[in-house]
Amino acid sequence: MRSIKRRGLFTVAVTAILSMVLSAGLASAAPADPGTSTRMSKQAAEAAALSFMALHSPASSAAAGNRIGNAWGGGLGVIHVRDGKYTHGTYDAVLPYNQWSNELFGWGTTAGWYTGAGYCSMQWRSDGGDQFYRQLPDLGSGQHFIGLETSYVVSIYDC
């Protein structure tokens, strides 16, 4: 019982510290269209993704189908249906920081995301909606399509 309480307190403390560090580092980073002035290092992108996953329990965001979570300080271009006809040329909507595509847009499935020129994406993948694991390699700019039953937490960094 004591170790469970310690583990819980440790998780809360780590989450609080990461939130403070990220808030200070992202203070000027308002949600923006993909590929704009929001810049993060690879280390900050990883910390942002870990904080996002700690704050968003899988059960509270689980959806039938799939979803994408935006863990970086800017807007993430997301693709609703892979049909070649995208509202913004290469993506359909801008998913703001700290949001899930299924919750914000009400989409049952999301087809992928777009990473702007000069950026790379770091991604954590889930094949069942609850456990996420780091997927390598990181991806460069362009459209990145996902399967109907795979969900992702995406964090973008300057590369």
Side-chain angles (χ1 to χ4, degrees), residues 28-52:
S28 64
D33 286 336
T36 61
S37 62
T38 301
R39 299 286 188 188
M40 290 179 75
S41 69
K42 187 173 183 175
Q43 294 79 13
E46 184 170 18
L50 293 174
S51 178
F52 178 91

Side-chain angles (χ1 to χ4, degrees), residues 74-144:
L76 177 65
V78 289
I79 302 164
H80 184 207
V81 176
R82 185 178 183 172
D83 60 4
K85 300 173 188 167
Y86 308 114
T87 307
H88 299 283
T90 52
Y91 58 94
D92 290 309
V94 176
L95 182 63
Y97 166 67
N98 208 27
Q99 297 289 321
W100 288 103
S101 58
N102 65 309
E103 292 176 356
L104 185 65
F105 304 123
W107 298 346
T109 59
T110 303
W113 73 90
Y114 172 76
T115 305
Y119 291 86
C120 288
S121 64
M122 173 180 297
Q123 59 278 341
W124 279 258
R125 176 180 172 157
S126 171
D127 295 317
D130 54 357
Q131 292 291 88
F132 285 84
Y133 61 91
R134 180 79 159 83
Q135 182 177 343
L136 295 171
D138 292 352
L139 302 173
S141 62
Q143 293 175 317
H144 307 291

